[in-house]
């Protein structure tokens, strides 16, 4: 029996507080540009928003928060910006790991780790290990993550573990090998910064997630902006393939 139900195999329970919120933190560069500052200042400011959003999730009772910090395609950016982002990630890990632990937050990093600096990897391992038994909120940072990479690595690892499944396997066989196997599928997806696309984020896991797009740039994404997103989520009717009548009959 799988730990969490799959939205395509079963009907997940929908609650008024999203259990799992996944966010694409976009718009840092434009936030800085508007202020005639270099793009990296927007990234710096963005870290503060992360801190606030984590607090808001705890206050709301969200159990899982997943943040897209760096995509597998973000290596295409100018080398200086990539370097700055890696440095910022390292700095934030060093500074915040103990605080996360104090607040009973579990930190998990998903993504392809093979391109990271060994020192950064060491820091990631240490923070994950320190916080692994925390239960209040699971904060997942997707770094060098890509939805296609996730599906490919899951298939490769599954076939390695079960070579007999080459010709036939099920969703349930694959599920434990996907990066977010430890979490229910996201209930609410939020993308800041105005673009309405998934940008190769959680492709598998967003199958039945409610999508919310806002023009607010990530550094400006405050408590009120988050509240608007959750309000919008609360107004959705999550049918998972059924009719509206079926839902009211079961209520
Ligand atoms: C998101 O902000 C942060 C990362 C992708 C790391 P951007 O840097 O994409 O900001 P915009 O979209 O250029 O404004
Ligand atoms: C998506 O933002 C990735 C992250 C927020 C980490 P981008 O700004 O890189 O996305 P695109 O390239 O505009 O789709
Ligand atoms: Mg962007």
């Amino acid at each position: 029996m799988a730990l969490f139900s799959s939205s395509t195999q079963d009907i997940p329970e929908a609650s008024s507080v999203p259990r799992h919120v996944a966010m694409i933190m976009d718009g840092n560069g434009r936030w800085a540009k508007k202020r005639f500052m270099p793009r990296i200042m927007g990234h710096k400011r963005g870290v503060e928003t992360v801190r606030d959003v984590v607090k808001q999730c705890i206050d709301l009772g969200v159990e899982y928060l997943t943040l897209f910090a760096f995509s597998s395609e973000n290596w295409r950016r100018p080398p200086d910006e990539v370097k700055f982002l890696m440095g910022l990630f390292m700095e934030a890990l060093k500074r915040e790991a103990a605080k996360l632990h104090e607040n009973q937050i579990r930190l998990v990093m998903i993504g392809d780790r093979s391109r990271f600096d060994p020192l950064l990897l060491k820091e990631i391992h240490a923070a994950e290990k320190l916080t692994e038994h925390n239960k209040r909120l699971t904060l997942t940072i997707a770094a060098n993550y890509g939805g296609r990479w996730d599906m490919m690595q899951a298939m490769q690892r599954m076939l390695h573990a079960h070579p007999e499944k080459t010709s036939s396997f099920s969703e349930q066989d694959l599920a434990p090998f996907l990066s977010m196997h430890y979490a229910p599928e996201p209930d609410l997806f939020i993308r800041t910064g105005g673009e309405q696309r998934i940008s190769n984020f959680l492709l598998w896991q967003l199958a039945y997630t409610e999508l919310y797009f806002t023009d607010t740039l990530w550094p400006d994404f405050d408590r009120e902006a988050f509240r608007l997103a959750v309000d919008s989520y609360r107004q959705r009717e999550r049918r998972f393939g059924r009719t509206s009548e079926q839902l009211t009959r079961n209520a």
Side-chain angles (χ1 to χ4, degrees):
M1 168 90 178
L3 192 53
F4 293 111
S5 65
S6 146
S7 58
T8 46
Q9 301 294 305
D10 310 291
I11 299 170
E13 215 174 295
S15 55
S16 66
V17 173
R19 278 187 85 187
H20 183 177
V21 181
M23 298 190 187
I24 297 189
M25 313 186 280
D26 197 18
N28 292 348
R30 278 163 286 161
W31 181 91
K33 202 174 165 200
K34 259 172 56 181
R35 288 163 180 77
F36 306 101
M37 296 195 287
R39 294 176 54 81
I40 56 169
M41 295 309 286
H43 297 316
K44 237 179 134 164
R45 218 6 266 283
V47 178
E48 284 171 40
T49 307
V50 171
R51 211 176 290 130
D52 292 345
V53 163
V54 167
K55 273 193 212 127
Q56 287 162 49
C57 283
I58 287 179
D59 292 349
L60 264 170
V62 169
E63 294 168 62
Y64 299 86
L65 170 66
T66 302
L67 301 174
F68 204 7
F70 192 89
S71 75
S72 42
E73 290 70 42
N74 284 145
W75 296 102
R76 297 168 180 166
R77 293 194 176 197
D80 279 356
E81 183 168 340
V82 170
K83 209 170 150 210
F84 182 85
L85 284 167
M86 292 297 154
L88 199 62
F89 192 20
M90 178 88 170
E91 208 184 276
L93 269 176
K94 275 193 174 156
R95 202 183 46 225
E96 308 287 340
K99 275 186 230 158
L100 292 175
H101 189 46
E102 262 170 46
N103 288 296
Q104 295 151 52
I105 298 166
R106 172 186 176 201
L107 181 78
V108 184
M109 222 258 343
I110 56 166
D112 179 359
R113 301 187 182 204
S114 64
R115 271 182 90 170
F116 288 147
D117 184 275
L119 284 174
L120 178 58
L121 273 181
K122 220 176 118 205
E123 220 49 64
I124 293 168
H125 280 305
E128 285 181 329
K129 191 91 194 105
L130 175 71
T131 62
E132 70 183 339
H133 299 300
N134 294 339
K135 298 262 178 307
R136 201 169 178 197
L137 172 77
T138 297
L139 169 63
T140 301
I141 304 292
N144 195 16
Y145 179 88
R148 290 191 181 175
W149 165 83
D150 196 358
M151 290 187 214
M152 295 302 291
Q153 68 80 28
M155 279 183 223
Q156 278 163 5
R157 291 199 300 130
M158 184 208 60
L159 290 175
H160 188 77
H162 305 286
E164 76 286 0
K165 297 210 161 133
T166 316
S167 55
S168 152
F169 57 86
S170 68
E171 202 189 287
Q172 282 93 333
D173 292 327
L174 193 66
F177 296 94
L178 288 160
S179 292
M180 295 220 68
H181 60 87
Y182 54 87
E185 291 171 35
D187 299 292
L188 172 62
F189 160 95
I190 299 172
R191 181 175 187 144
T192 62
E195 314 295 354
Q196 305 199 356
R197 53 179 174 250
I198 303 292
S199 298
N200 199 17
F201 192 28
L202 303 162
L203 297 178
W204 177 282
Q205 297 84 346
L206 293 176
Y208 267 107
T209 302
E210 297 300 327
L211 307 180
Y212 180 86
F213 298 93
T214 171
D215 288 338
T216 305
L217 304 173
W218 179 252
D220 292 328
F221 189 73
D222 58 10
R223 193 167 278 267
E224 175 60 13
F226 196 6
R227 191 188 62 76
L228 287 175
V230 175
D231 279 355
S232 164
Y233 168 80
R234 286 193 173 131
Q235 281 157 25
R236 313 280 177 98
E237 184 177 62
R238 305 194 70 194
R239 292 191 288 276
F240 299 104
R242 295 162 298 172
T243 66
S244 196
E245 289 71 23
Q246 283 175 295
L247 291 182
T248 36
R249 216 176 299 136
N250 293 340

